[in-house]
Amino acid sequence: EVQLVESGGGLVQPGGSLRLSCAASGFTFSSYWMHWVRQAPGKGLVWVSRINSDGSSTRYADSVKGRFTFSRDNAKNTLYLQMNSLRAEDTAVYYCVCDGGGYYSFWGQGTLVTVSS
Amino acid sequence: EIVLTQSPATLSVSPGERATLSCRASQSVSSNLAWYQQKPGQAPRLLVYGASSRATGIPARFSGSGSGTEFTLTITSLQSEDFAVYYCQQYNNWPKTFGQGTKVEIK
C-alpha cells in the first residue's frame, strides 16, 4: 500500500523557517517524480514545487521561488521542503504527492503550516 | 499560465441523481486533464486522468470526457459518499494548475 506521511508543520512567525518532511513507502520511491501541493484554509489547490526522480532537477511556483528548496533522499525514501522567509500567505496545508505521469496519483494526508505573529 | 474555470461553483443534487461538472481551460490542454475528489478534512483523491481514464479503484459511476478546452466529469446515480468538492487539473503546461473546485452538495 502506498503511503506518504508528511511532518514538520506548525506555527512560525513571519520571516521564519520550517522544514517539512514526507516519508514514502509502498512503492519504488526512487523511480518517481514528486511534488508539493498546498491548500490555504478554505481555498483551492495550488502546485508548489516538483523534483525529479534522482533529485537533480527541481522546479518552483513563482510565489515560492528563491525561498523554498525541495530535496529528496532516495536512500531514506524521504522528501524535504525547506521553507525560508515565510509569509502569512504561505499558511496552508502542504501535501506531498506522487507524480503518476503529470497527474497526482497518490497524496499524503497533509501537514498544516501557519505563519502568524 | 493556463486558467481552469469550473462550473457551477456549487451543485445541489439528490441521492440517486446524475451530476454533471464542467471544466473549461483558457487554452488547449489536449487530453492532459485530471479530476480529483476531496472530502472535508481529507486529502484529494485521483478520480480520472487523461480526461477519461478512471484511476484504480474508482467506481464506474464516475466518468470523464472532453479534450482541448472543454471537459466534463459525470457522476451517475450519486451515492452519499460522493458529496464532496471536485477539482480539475491540467498537466499539459507548466505550471500545472487546478480549477477552483465544484462543491456537490445534498439537495
Side-chain angles (χ1 to χ4, degrees):
Chain A
E1 178 193 4
V2 173
Q3 281 204 314
L4 296 168
V5 180
E6 302 94 336
S7 60
L11 176 64
V12 61
Q13 292 188 337
S17 298
L18 213 54
R19 189 177 84 155
L20 306 184
S21 299
C22 173
S25 61
F27 65 107
T28 308
F29 176 73
S30 60
S31 296
Y32 288 86
W33 288 28
M34 300 293 293
H35 301 252
W36 289 96
V37 173
R38 69 184 181 184
Q39 186 172 36
K43 302 297 185 182
L45 302 165
V46 178
W47 171 79
V48 173
S49 183
R50 72 95 172 129
I51 192 166
N52 68 346
S53 57
D54 67 6
S56 62
S57 172
T58 53
R59 196 159 188 165
Y60 301 92
D62 287 346
S63 58
V64 307
K65 200 174 295 182
R67 300 188 297 123
F68 289 14
T69 302
F70 193 179
S71 61
R72 66 191 295 165
D73 184 337
N74 284 346
K76 296 182 178 179
N77 283 6
T78 303
L79 302 173
Y80 304 99
L81 186 67
Q82 178 66 43
M83 304 187 295
N84 298 332
S85 303
L86 283 161
R87 308 165 180 167
E89 54 264 36
D90 295 318
T91 293
V93 174
Y94 285 74
Y95 296 101
C96 71
V97 186
C98 181
D99 189 317
Y103 50 90
Y104 303 132
S105 49
F106 294 103
W107 298 63
Q109 86 288 349
T111 187
L112 176 62
V113 173
T114 303
V115 184
S116 174
S117 55
Chain B
E1 174 173 315
I2 293 178
V3 176
L4 298 180
T5 303
Q6 292 187 240
S7 61
T10 303
L11 188 59
S12 298
V13 185
S14 298
E17 291 188 338
R18 170 192 294 254
T20 302
L21 289 67
S22 174
C23 177
R24 175 175 293 178
S26 58
Q27 64 188 75
S28 176
V29 298
S30 186
S31 294
N32 296 315
L33 188 110
W35 290 92
Y36 302 87
Q37 176 194 67
Q38 186 177 33
K39 298 178 182 179
Q42 296 186 18
R45 176 176 71 147
L46 176 68
L47 297 176
V48 169
Y49 62 93
S52 60
S53 297
R54 268 190 307 277
T56 302
I58 301 304
R61 64 181 182 273
F62 291 92
S63 65
S65 63
S67 66
T69 61
E70 300 283 343
F71 300 88
T72 300
L73 176 70
T74 302
I75 314 170
T76 58
S77 188
L78 268 156
Q79 307 297 300
S80 57
E81 61 267 29
D82 301 335
F83 293 96
V85 179
Y86 293 82
Y87 294 95
C88 58
Q89 176 235 342
Q90 67 81 21
Y91 50 97
N92 196 65
N93 289 63
W94 288 97
K96 301 182 184 186
T97 49
F98 292 88
Q100 82 281 11
T102 290
K103 181 180 181 180
V104 177
E105 64 176 24
I106 300 174
K107 186 174 182 180

